Amino acid sequence: MKLILPKIDSHNGRCDLNCRSEFEVPAFRLLNYKRHIEFLFVFSFLSFSSLVCGEAKREPVFMNYKTPNQAEIKSKLSDIQYRVTQLDETEPPFQNEYWNHHEVGIYVDIVTGEPLFLSKDKFDSGTGWPSFTRPIFEESIVEKKDTNWGMTRVEVRSKIANSHLGHVFDDGPRPTGLRYCINSAALRFIKKEDLAKYGYADLLPLVVK
């Protein structure tokens, strides 16, 4: 198969439109070019479709979250918030702020504001504590073995603030099969309409159903 291109003058580098050169291009190479173009088109279409029709990809949103010193934390938090996040205590079930909360938005760490959970991943576990199937970003949660109270459990803490959040169990619903049982006192809720106001606009595509 022949490919006809304008001839380039080797002395001055100019393109002579009146003089053309013919090159023999193997058919298999043109076929590869065609397949490459088709792949790029399909990939671009699928990427666009995933944003329009499906859930946006969850990638960490990096912000400058800073952990206050203990004096600042103690002055900022209520008594129950401090005892839960800093002393690893557990709030009473069915007597906390978010166990039966259904607004659309995100839940962030009460100390630093680092994003932790989405409202659409929250479900009614019947335990009396807010329960989620997964965190927004796996990188934002630190898991630790907990052998207190004669049990072996997996404690979950926020990565930056190191706040005690609760525990994760493997008796949750699909698609993860996990139940993140979290203390309301460790969380602050930001409703969807206020995400941009408080600096969480990048998370809006994840919140919108």
Side-chain angles (χ1 to χ4, degrees), residues 45 77 81 151 189:
F45 175 77
L77 303 182
Q81 289 171 340
M151 299 179 287
F189 178 75

Tab-separated table of all heavy atoms in Angstrom, residues 45 77 81 151 189:
chain	number	residue	atom	x	y	z
A	45	PHE	N	-14.144	6.882	25.228
A	45	PHE	CA	-15.595	6.769	25.381
A	45	PHE	C	-15.966	6.124	26.707
A	45	PHE	O	-16.853	6.588	27.419
A	45	PHE	CB	-16.180	5.953	24.230
A	45	PHE	CG	-17.654	5.689	24.366
A	45	PHE	CD1	-18.584	6.681	24.072
A	45	PHE	CD2	-18.117	4.452	24.803
A	45	PHE	CE1	-19.941	6.442	24.218
A	45	PHE	CE2	-19.464	4.211	24.947
A	45	PHE	CZ	-20.382	5.204	24.652
A	77	LEU	N	-12.903	19.935	71.457
A	77	LEU	CA	-13.851	18.832	71.494
A	77	LEU	C	-14.716	18.854	72.756
A	77	LEU	O	-14.316	19.367	73.802
A	77	LEU	CB	-13.102	17.499	71.429
A	77	LEU	CG	-12.181	17.279	70.228
A	77	LEU	CD1	-11.562	15.890	70.301
A	77	LEU	CD2	-12.929	17.477	68.918
A	81	GLN	N	-16.503	13.559	72.796
A	81	GLN	CA	-15.645	13.531	71.602
A	81	GLN	C	-14.185	13.298	71.987
A	81	GLN	O	-13.470	12.542	71.323
A	81	GLN	CB	-15.784	14.845	70.826
A	81	GLN	CG	-17.115	15.003	70.130
A	81	GLN	CD	-17.297	16.401	69.550
A	81	GLN	OE1	-16.630	17.361	69.960
A	81	GLN	NE2	-18.223	16.533	68.610
A	151	MET	N	-11.620	-9.686	73.906
A	151	MET	CA	-11.998	-9.962	72.516
A	151	MET	C	-10.844	-9.588	71.599
A	151	MET	O	-9.990	-8.770	71.941
A	151	MET	CB	-13.244	-9.152	72.112
A	151	MET	CG	-14.487	-9.451	72.912
A	151	MET	SD	-15.885	-8.423	72.376
A	151	MET	CE	-15.399	-6.833	73.060
A	189	PHE	N	-20.308	15.809	60.248
A	189	PHE	CA	-20.997	15.637	58.966
A	189	PHE	C	-20.993	16.932	58.167
A	189	PHE	O	-21.268	18.007	58.717
A	189	PHE	CB	-22.441	15.178	59.191
A	189	PHE	CG	-23.223	15.020	57.919
A	189	PHE	CD1	-23.006	13.933	57.089
A	189	PHE	CD2	-24.162	15.970	57.548
A	189	PHE	CE1	-23.719	13.785	55.901
A	189	PHE	CE2	-24.882	15.837	56.365
A	189	PHE	CZ	-24.656	14.737	55.545
